């Protein structure tokens, strides 16, 4: 939906990204599980991924990405009113956004986490926009960051080939001209079992008649075929609805920016929408699936390489665990 007060528009004025130092390529993975570079690349498009060391965290890489975005927008941390961290792998289950606020020195900013898995950045973008459209805040930092390597079973060939760690960030500012043109968000809990990072309780009796469940989160599990079928069916639909709400057509799209899950999904969605391959942004060969970080990470690279120019129309779509999916149509810059 699109509901806003007159004169309260949004512009995305800065971007930034950061990835861990260590790189694990497909040849290295073949030392852990029975696989090969050809097998992984042909099925996913992924060649390598970045993995966080014990000294790196969601907070450290998110802070680096945020600093770059703040600098591009010509702001200081003290200008920020709100920080939203889209993540499923917070350093602290109570949330990591406040740690980032402290690391940045953004004392005036409210900070909170938002969890919607690989859709997190798109959901966060729409959430941030509402604070600007109501006049509550002027300058918002939105970060997508995940360290999925903590939760991957590195003996499971079905999942360990897919995921990497990273962070991306954008600055949203109040603007006379509204550059957030339309969006559509969806959830379907009936398909939750397709992709999980689930808590496994272990019964523990405290006193007679009082038993609690204390346990741990289990490694990521995924039904890859179901997730693929879901994505290639639902993502084109939600993009078309977002474009309708934006009063735009597929021909108006300069860039298609999908969650970087699998090159086959990117290609299939592009084919269904009749969007040329040269308009589809892809960097998953270098980073793999970085969950909530994937869209802003790819966006920042394209902006810094000069491919995305002010005024370009971008359709971004996230999809993943929940299951959740959504699309947003926006123009880069003021």
């Amino acid at each position: 939906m699109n509901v806003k007060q007159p004169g309260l528009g949004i512009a995305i004025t800065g971007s930034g990204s950061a990835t861990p130092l260590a790189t694990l390529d497909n040849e290295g993975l073949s030392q852990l599980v029975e696989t090969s570079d050809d097998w992984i690349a042909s099925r996913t498009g992924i060649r390598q991924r970045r993995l966080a060391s014990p000294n790196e965290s969601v907070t450290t890489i998110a802070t680096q990405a945020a600093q770059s975005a703040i600098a591009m927008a010509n702001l200081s941390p003290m200008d920020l009113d709100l920080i939203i961290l889209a993540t499923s792998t917070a350093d602290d289950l109570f949330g990591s956004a406040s740690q980032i606020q402290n690391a940045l020195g953004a004392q005036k900013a409210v900070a909170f986490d938002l969890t919607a898995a690989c859709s997190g950045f798109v959901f966060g973008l729409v959430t941030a926009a509402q604070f600007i459209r109501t006049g509550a805040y002027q300058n918002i930092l939105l970060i997508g960051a995940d360290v999925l390597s903590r939760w991957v079973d590195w003996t499971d060939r079905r999942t360990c080939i897919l995921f990497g760690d990273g962070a991306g960030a954008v600055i949203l500012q109040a603007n006379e001209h509204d550059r957030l043109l339309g969006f559509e968000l969806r959830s379907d809990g009936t398909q939750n079992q397709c992709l999980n990072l689930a808590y496994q309780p272990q019964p523990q009796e405290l006193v007679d008649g009082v038993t609690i469940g204390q346990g741990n989160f289990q490694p990521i599990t995924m039904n890859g075929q179901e997730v693929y079928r879901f994505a290639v069916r639902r993502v084109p639909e939600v993009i078309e609805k977002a474009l309708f709400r934006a009063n735009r057509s597929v021909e108006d799209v300069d860039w298609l920016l999908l969650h970087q899950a699998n090159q086959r999904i990117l290609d299939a969605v592009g084919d269904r929408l009749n969007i040329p391959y040269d308009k589809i942004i892809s960097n998953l060969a270098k980073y793999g699936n970085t969950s909530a970080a994937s869209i802003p990470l790819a966006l920042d690279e394209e902006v810094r390489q000069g491919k995305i120019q002010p005024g370009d129309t971008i359709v971004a779509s996230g999809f993943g665990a929940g299951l959740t999916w959504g699309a947003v149509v926006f123009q880069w810059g003021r």
Side-chain angles (χ1 to χ4, degrees):
M1 297 180 67
N2 277 332
V3 179
K4 77 180 190 70
Q5 296 182 12
L8 293 176
I10 298 106
I12 301 175
T13 60
S15 65
S17 58
T19 54
L21 296 176
T23 298
L24 178 63
D25 62 17
N26 292 343
E27 293 296 339
L29 260 182
S30 68
Q31 300 174 36
L32 300 175
V33 293
E34 185 179 348
T35 190
S36 68
D37 177 60
D38 287 342
W39 193 91
I40 297 171
S42 64
R43 286 163 176 77
T44 69
I46 299 167
R47 295 283 184 179
Q48 61 184 36
R49 67 284 299 146
R50 299 292 186 91
L51 303 180
S53 72
N55 296 322
E56 295 173 304
S57 65
V58 167
T59 299
T60 59
I61 60 175
T63 299
Q64 293 170 26
Q67 289 168 334
S68 296
I70 292 166
M72 183 185 288
N74 293 316
L75 297 178
S76 75
M78 289 296 290
D79 294 320
L80 298 177
D81 302 307
L82 174 64
I83 299 170
I84 299 175
L85 171 64
T87 188
S88 300
T89 57
D91 301 324
D92 183 334
L93 274 180
F94 290 150
S96 293
S98 293
Q99 293 173 275
I100 297 166
Q101 180 229 36
N102 179 56
L104 291 171
Q107 286 90 346
K108 295 180 181 179
V110 178
F112 64 83
D113 289 25
L114 180 153
T115 301
C118 300
S119 304
F121 181 80
V122 169
F123 278 43
L125 192 63
V126 173
T127 300
Q130 309 317 307
F131 285 98
I132 293 177
R133 285 178 166 169
T134 59
Y137 298 128
Q138 300 291 305
N139 301 312
I140 300 177
L141 168 64
L142 170 63
I143 309 165
D146 272 300
V147 177
L148 291 168
S149 60
R150 295 170 174 170
W151 302 108
V152 167
D153 178 354
W154 291 99
T155 67
D156 179 5
R157 185 177 70 166
R158 297 168 299 177
T159 57
C160 74
I161 65 172
L162 300 173
F163 298 107
D165 305 334
V170 296
I171 297 291
L172 289 84
Q173 293 187 269
N175 195 56
E176 180 181 358
H177 301 287
D178 197 356
R179 302 306 184 189
L180 182 62
L181 306 178
F183 67 86
E184 184 80 10
L185 305 179
R186 293 297 179 91
S187 300
D188 181 5
T190 65
Q191 293 186 279
N192 177 261
Q193 75 283 352
C194 293
L195 181 53
N196 292 110
L197 202 173
Y199 178 78
Q200 181 65 53
Q202 298 294 329
Q204 179 180 340
E205 187 175 44
L206 297 182
V207 298
D208 187 32
V210 179
T211 300
I212 63 169
Q214 283 196 331
N216 295 292
F217 287 93
Q218 301 302 296
I220 295 168
T221 61
M222 184 176 69
N223 184 328
Q225 290 183 336
E226 284 300 318
V227 172
Y228 176 86
R229 282 195 285 264
F230 146 74
V232 299
R233 182 175 71 253
R234 296 301 186 189
V235 172
E237 291 176 358
V238 81
I239 288 173
E240 289 175 337
K241 288 178 179 176
L243 286 168
F244 175 79
R245 296 188 185 281
N247 196 27
R248 297 292 193 279
S249 68
V250 170
E251 289 72 26
D252 297 319
V253 175
D254 294 305
W255 302 102
L256 178 62
L257 177 51
L258 301 178
H259 165 52
Q260 305 288 294
N262 185 308
Q263 189 62 46
R264 286 180 170 180
I265 294 176
L266 272 62
D267 293 343
V269 173
D271 287 342
R272 294 201 177 195
L273 293 171
N274 292 318
I275 293 178
Y277 290 152
D278 60 2
K279 290 186 175 184
I280 302 174
I281 295 171
S282 175
N283 70 352
L284 62 83
K286 295 188 293 182
Y287 303 112
N289 180 342
T290 56
S291 192
S294 76
I295 290 175
L297 176 57
L299 174 69
D300 182 55
E301 285 195 338
E302 297 295 297
V303 169
R304 293 183 183 274
Q305 292 171 11
K307 295 180 180 179
I308 293 177
Q309 293 292 313
D312 281 0
T313 297
I314 301 165
V315 175
S317 181
F319 49 91
L323 293 176
T324 59
W325 67 106
V328 61
V329 184
F330 65 93
Q331 292 174 314
W332 175 253
R334 292 190 181 276

